[in-house]
Structure formats: C-alpha cells, structure tokens
Amino acid sequence: AVEPVARLDGVTRERFLRDIYPRRKPVVLQGLELGACTTKWTVDYLSKAEGSKEVKIHVSTVPQMDFLSKNFVYRALPFDVFVRRAAEVKHKEYFLSEDEKYYLRSVGEDARKDIADIRKQFPVLAQDVLIPEYFEKEQFFSSVFRISSTGLQLWTHYDVMDNFLIQVTGKKRIVLYSPRDAPYLYLSGTKSEVLDVDNPDLEKYPLFVKAKRYECFLEAGDVLFIPALWFHNVVSEEFGVAVNVFWKHLPAESYDKTDTYGNKDPMAASRAIQILDRALKTLEELPEEYRDFYARRMVLRIQEKAYGNDCG
C-alpha cells in the first residue's frame, strides 16, 4: 500500500511551526512565494545567467544512479554547456553514451571544507529565489542547487538534517520511508541497497515488503518538507531544477563539524555506534552459544532503553 504525502496550500511559517513541524512527517507545501525563479529559469536563461564557469557533475549511462556501486563517473563541464546537455534526451556530444544522464549537486568551493550555498556558488541565480525561511537564521546549514536529466533516479538515502526540497522547474516523483522502517531497507551507511524501489529484488531483499511507502509528485513551485532521517528516493520525470535548503534541527554542537553534506551521523550517534562495535568485538571472546544468548539480551536491553514508545 502507498500512502500519499499530504499536500497543503499557502502554509504560513507560524502554521508550519505549530501544526506540521512537530509531527515529523513529510508534507508538500503549495502556493509559497518562491520568487522569480519559477518563471525565469528556462534553459536559455540559466545558461546565460551563470555563463561558462566550470561545474563538476555526475554522468551515468543508466537512469538509476547507485552511490554504493558508483555506477557513474565525475566529469567537469562549463555550466552553460552542461545545462543544455542535461536538457537533451539524445546527445551529439557526450562522455559515455548518447543517452547518458547528468546530475549536478552543487558543492562548496572546497567540497571537503565548505558547504553548498547558492548565494556563493550561483550568485546571479540566487537573486531569483526566495527560500521559505521557516527556521531561525542561525539554524541554516546549506542551500544546494540541483539539476537533473529526464528519467534520472537517485539512490534511496537519509540526511541528518531537516530540509525543504524546492522544485523550481520540471517534475519529480519522490518515494519516502519512515526512519522506523530502517530495519527493512538494507542499509549501508546512510544509503539503502534497494535501488529499484518499484521492482525490488525480493529474493535478495525479502524484508523490503514490510517498509511502508509514502509517495508524492512535485510540480514546479512545490516544496517538499523532508524531516531528518526520512529516507527518500527521487526520480526526475522531466529535466528540472531544484534547490534544497538544509537546517539544523538539533543544537549546533550535536553535528559533526567536518560534515559539509548534512549526512554524517550526529556526534552522540557516532560515539554510540563505536561503543557498540567494541561491545560486539568483546562478545567474540565467547563460544557461539553464549555469544548468541548475550547478543539477544543486548538487543532486548536496547529495545527497552532506547526505542520510542510505539516501536516494536
């Protein structure tokens, strides 16, 4: 069964913070004032606005990009050339194949140290965007400029910060899963191994059927609120441009200072996982029968002490 994500019209900041934010569920916000970008950002305008500065992009011969197997390559192109290529279906000039897919996820000047900020990396375009600031200024983390080819599908993953996905042009389909369904998503770090969420390999991933699927379609001008830890899988149904804005939901000191992408686990979670790994290593000193018994006791203890009230 698929649960559609709720769509709400003209939600004010006050209503968002009072009624929607505390529920920690995704919602599509319609009719927000986003500035001139929704009408101005044609292929022609985009390519002229930021000229020929170089951008680093993902290039893939298949629509489903997989971050775990790295089935794409990184290439650089002048921005104006990239925009025109990303808008084509068949390419006269290409890196790998004439129907290759392109994806730009803007990064900071030094991707290891600097966050993405559309005001710094794309200052001309940034003037056209009104980001809904439904959070305090000091909570702001990053604003990520994204462009995707038609048909491109991004791997299922979670982020550790809340974010708005602002669909400026084009259409996207987003499939989401609750953090509570993490046990069914076959995780490797922040990413799920289940790439094809529409036709999953259930022999390989039998538990995936237990994950409850939420779904929405974003049109130009829609804004999707994705709470931290919610898994999302994104398909660009058309060539499109989007801006993500991430903000810090937890106190600033909770986050890893070296995190420029908003996907490193909070400091306390990282420490807890390291401690757990050491505990599991210690269990290896016992014979299997004892290891099994004490591991089950540890699982029960974690459920008892740390699970939310309505968890199994």
Side-chain angles (χ1 to χ4, degrees):
V2 178
E3 178 155 333
V5 173
R7 302 183 74 89
L8 298 171
D9 225 341
V11 173
T12 60
R13 177 185 169 149
E14 291 68 33
R15 186 182 163 205
F16 177 77
L17 292 173
R18 185 188 68 230
D19 301 335
I20 298 162
Y21 199 49
R23 292 181 62 227
R24 311 300 298 154
K25 285 187 86 171
V27 64
V28 178
L29 306 173
Q30 303 174 150
L32 299 188
E33 181 48 61
L34 300 174
C37 56
T38 49
T39 50
K40 277 172 85 171
W41 283 9
T42 61
V43 171
D44 277 348
Y45 175 78
L46 287 167
S47 51
K48 286 183 187 128
E50 295 284 353
S52 60
K53 71 161 145 219
E54 191 173 86
V55 287
K56 194 177 179 187
I57 53 172
H58 301 64
V59 183
S60 172
T61 56
V62 293
Q64 282 173 335
M65 280 196 182
D66 179 2
F67 198 83
L68 296 173
S69 74
K70 296 283 197 293
N71 66 346
F72 52 84
V73 295
Y74 291 105
R75 293 290 182 265
L77 278 175
F79 182 72
D80 51 355
V81 174
F82 158 69
V83 170
R84 294 193 182 283
R85 277 215 214 164
E88 303 167 342
V89 177
K90 285 266 186 276
H91 313 293
K92 288 191 179 70
E93 292 181 39
Y94 50 84
F95 295 108
L96 306 170
S97 70
E98 63 175 9
D99 53 0
E100 65 194 15
K101 306 287 183 194
Y102 298 97
Y103 171 54
L104 166 70
R105 185 240 189 254
S106 66
V107 292
E109 284 68 27
D110 178 340
R112 288 185 307 256
K113 293 182 191 161
D114 304 320
I115 52 136
D117 186 339
I118 190 173
R119 293 165 298 191
K120 292 179 184 167
Q121 287 99 42
F122 297 92
V124 179
L125 294 175
Q127 293 171 22
D128 300 334
V129 188
L130 276 178
I131 287 173
E133 292 195 356
Y134 287 19
F135 48 89
E136 299 302 323
K137 283 233 185 312
E138 61 273 14
Q139 288 179 283
F140 171 83
F141 175 71
S142 66
S143 50
V144 181
F145 183 66
R146 299 181 193 269
I147 295 183
S148 309
S149 292
T150 302
L152 182 83
Q153 183 168 20
L154 284 181
W155 54 89
T156 307
H157 68 284
Y158 71 86
D159 301 292
V160 299
M161 295 185 196
D162 291 340
N163 87 81
F164 278 151
L165 172 55
I166 302 162
Q167 191 63 28
V168 180
T169 70
K171 291 180 186 171
K172 280 197 175 88
R173 185 198 73 178
I174 323 278
V175 174
L176 303 110
Y177 299 96
S178 160
R180 298 277 165 96
D181 282 344
Y184 315 131
L185 297 178
Y186 297 87
L187 297 189
S188 177
T190 60
K191 297 155 190 78
S192 167
E193 289 178 20
V194 187
L195 270 194
D196 191 343
V197 292
D198 301 311
N199 299 290
D201 181 344
L202 294 179
E203 280 191 12
K204 199 174 178 185
Y205 308 116
L207 295 177
F208 186 69
V209 291
K210 294 187 174 187
K212 183 177 181 182
R213 175 184 176 123
Y214 294 77
E215 190 173 284
C216 64
F217 291 86
L218 296 188
E219 305 270 343
D222 286 345
V223 176
L224 172 62
F225 167 52
I226 307 176
L229 310 182
W230 273 76
F231 295 87
H232 43 289
N233 178 290
V234 181
V235 177
S236 295
E237 306 234 310
E238 299 173 348
F239 163 79
V241 185
V243 178
N244 270 109
V245 59
F246 290 86
W247 68 91
K248 296 170 182 173
H249 169 57
L250 306 175
E253 61 275 11
S254 306
Y255 299 100
D256 187 325
K257 297 280 186 292
T258 66
D259 186 5
T260 56
Y261 285 87
N263 61 8
K264 287 192 178 177
D265 291 317
M267 302 291 278
S270 294
R271 287 200 307 276
I273 289 165
Q274 285 166 3
I275 294 164
L276 178 61
D277 285 341
R278 287 203 296 277
L280 292 169
K281 191 96 184 116
T282 309
L283 276 189
E284 287 174 16
E285 296 169 19
L286 293 166
E288 187 185 0
E289 183 187 356
Y290 285 79
R291 196 167 62 232
D292 179 282
F293 174 71
Y294 286 103
R296 288 172 194 275
R297 281 193 58 188
M298 283 166 71
V299 168
L300 288 170
R301 195 167 172 80
I302 288 170
Q303 287 180 334
E304 189 185 305
K305 297 278 185 189
Y307 272 29
N309 294 333
D310 55 349
C311 278

